Amino acid sequence: PTAHGAGRPTLEPADVRERSELISQVWVSVVAIAHALAQRSSTRAHLRRGAVLISDRYTLDAAVQLRYRYGSHRRFRFQIWLLRRLSPTPLLAYLVEVAPETAHRRKPEQYDLEALARQAGLYRELAAALGVRVVEGERAREDLCAEIAAEAWRALHA
């Protein structure tokens, strides 16, 4: 709240959203639908042609960001279900898991260590529920890429 006029505090939109469970749930539903429809729109033509798409940052990332930005204490089960239901279903999905310190070294300007640790917990929590396979991201890049490429090849030819 900020002081306004005769000393009365005013509420910012985020304050109202955070204080009201109903407003929070409705707002996050709108965000989830918009994100899922954007994913569908950006992939539709490619999928119709039968193209193979590789996406960085997809449904798991969107679900984590909903929880991180709008209240990690809230589950947002319905909104995450909407994301999953409305977004195109991937054949394979991976979480390349690295320590928060590794992520911070790669992009120190984006998040601090505390924020990265909170997000890492959310990623771990949501990965299994969304059918995302967790792979160790601290190992040699060549090994990681070879493993994922082999699985993708088998899945595409199954």
Side-chain angles (χ1 to χ4, degrees):
T2 58
H4 180 72
R8 290 181 299 161
T10 59
L11 293 176
E12 297 295 323
D15 295 328
V16 173
R17 186 188 68 241
E18 288 171 16
R19 290 182 183 184
S20 169
E21 182 69 22
L22 176 62
I23 292 172
S24 179
Q25 294 293 329
V26 170
W27 175 253
V28 174
S29 294
V30 169
V31 171
I33 291 168
H35 187 83
L37 294 178
Q39 284 181 341
R40 182 170 290 287
S41 174
S42 68
T43 60
R44 182 181 344 207
H46 304 291
L47 293 174
R48 273 198 211 122
R49 287 195 329 266
V52 173
L53 297 177
I54 299 174
S55 298
D56 183 25
R57 309 283 177 227
Y58 204 63
T59 303
L60 174 61
D61 298 284
V64 166
Q65 288 305 307
L66 287 179
R67 297 265 318 270
Y68 178 75
R69 290 182 181 191
Y70 301 114
S72 54
H73 61 285
R74 293 184 170 117
R75 296 289 171 219
F76 295 125
R77 286 183 181 99
F78 174 70
Q79 294 82 355
I80 292 170
W81 175 85
L82 277 174
L83 272 172
R84 195 167 185 201
R85 179 77 174 109
L86 297 176
S87 298
T89 303
L91 180 60
L92 299 170
Y94 296 92
L95 166 59
V96 180
E97 190 174 55
V98 298
E101 294 79 13
T102 301
H104 190 261
R105 275 194 308 276
R106 292 178 182 172
K107 292 185 178 181
E109 70 285 350
Q110 194 168 12
Y111 296 104
D112 63 24
L113 277 174
E114 181 183 332
L116 290 168
R118 277 185 43 222
Q119 289 181 48
L122 291 169
Y123 273 103
R124 265 185 252 102
E125 180 185 333
L126 292 169
L130 294 175
V132 174
R133 182 168 169 256
V134 179
V135 293
E136 173 57 53
E138 301 281 351
R139 63 188 171 151
R141 182 180 301 186
E142 296 76 21
D143 293 342
L144 177 61
C145 290
E147 178 184 336
I148 292 173
E151 286 183 17
W153 185 259
R154 284 191 300 273
L156 289 169
H157 291 90

